[in-house]
């Protein structure tokens, strides 16, 4: 599993690889994983297929549910 460090806080947080994230529900993702994936998928939105658009919508709904 590849990860990278996110140093926006006092303690670095690891972000799981999207292949790992795709096997679990967005409700189980960390806020930084949601935000990072949303940002990346927004950039790629013109090229997302139906499945990618569905996953992106799930991420958006989870972000809104949490009020992030």
């Amino acid at each position: 599993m590849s990860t990278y460090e996110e140093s926006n806080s006092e303690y670095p947080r690891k972000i799981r690889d999207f292949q790992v994230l795709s096997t679990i529900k967005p409700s189980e993702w960390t806020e930084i994983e949601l935000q990072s994936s949303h940002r990346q998928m927004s950039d790629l939105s013109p090229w997302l297929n139906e499945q990618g658009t569905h996953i992106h919508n799930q991420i958006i709904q989870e972000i809104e549910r949490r009020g992030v």
Side-chain angles (χ1 to χ4, degrees), residues 25-47:
K25 299 176 196 174
S27 60
E28 298 174 20
W29 297 13
T30 65
E31 288 182 11
I32 193 72
E33 290 168 338
L34 286 168
Q35 293 170 345
S36 175
S37 295
H38 172 54
R39 187 172 38 251
Q40 292 169 6
M41 293 183 92
S42 292
D43 290 344
L44 296 172
S45 64
W47 299 281

Side-chain angles (χ1 to χ4, degrees), residues 6-13:
E6 183 67 37
S7 58
N8 287 343
S9 65
E10 183 178 329
Y11 300 100
R13 297 176 185 220

Side-chain angles (χ1 to χ4, degrees), residues 12-25:
R13 297 176 185 220
K14 292 187 179 187
I15 298 177
R16 294 172 283 190
D17 186 274
F18 193 76
Q19 285 183 320
V20 173
L21 291 174
S22 67
T23 65
I24 57 177
K25 299 176 196 174

